[in-house]
Amino acid sequence: MSDLRDLTDQMRAFSEERDWVQFHDPKSLLLALVGEVGELSELMQWLPAGEIVGRAAEEPLASRLGEELADVQLYLVRLADVLGVDLAEAARLKLSTGRRRFPTETVRGEAPLKS
Ligand SMILES: [Mg+2]
């Protein structure tokens, strides 16, 4: 079983055991996900961009980043589960599309323009 499938199953069981499935409509899960992205953003908002990677290795920021990234992942996994989306397969498909859209020989070292 994949790690993502295992996380999906654990989140579903966690929700069912607490009778929280009733609150897990897609819109509510999306808003929870956005809230967690906000908490993650808060950790970085006033740090100079060039210093974040270095400071991410230091406590307490390292632990806080792990917590908020996990919150984001768990809500994303739960949202995909409720919507019936196979998140791992969808991500593999997007990556495959990205490889075709941005061939290495034409975009290497260039920031792709939004189209
Ligand atoms: Mg959080």
Side-chain angles (χ1 to χ4, degrees), residues 23-87:
F23 307 117
H24 287 182
D25 61 276
K27 187 184 82 174
S28 296
L29 288 168
L30 177 60
L31 291 175
L33 172 61
V34 169
E36 296 301 340
V37 170
E39 290 180 18
L40 179 61
S41 303
E42 217 175 68
L43 296 176
M44 299 187 204
Q45 71 181 352
W46 301 119
L47 297 178
E51 294 180 19
I52 293 174
V53 170
R55 291 173 70 169
E58 300 166 4
E59 292 298 341
L61 186 57
S63 294
R64 292 290 298 120
L65 287 169
E67 290 168 3
E68 298 310 337
L69 284 165
D71 285 342
V72 168
Q73 183 178 28
L74 290 170
Y75 275 122
L76 180 62
V77 162
R78 183 74 184 126
L79 177 59
D81 187 30
V82 166
L83 290 173
V85 171
D86 181 336
L87 195 53

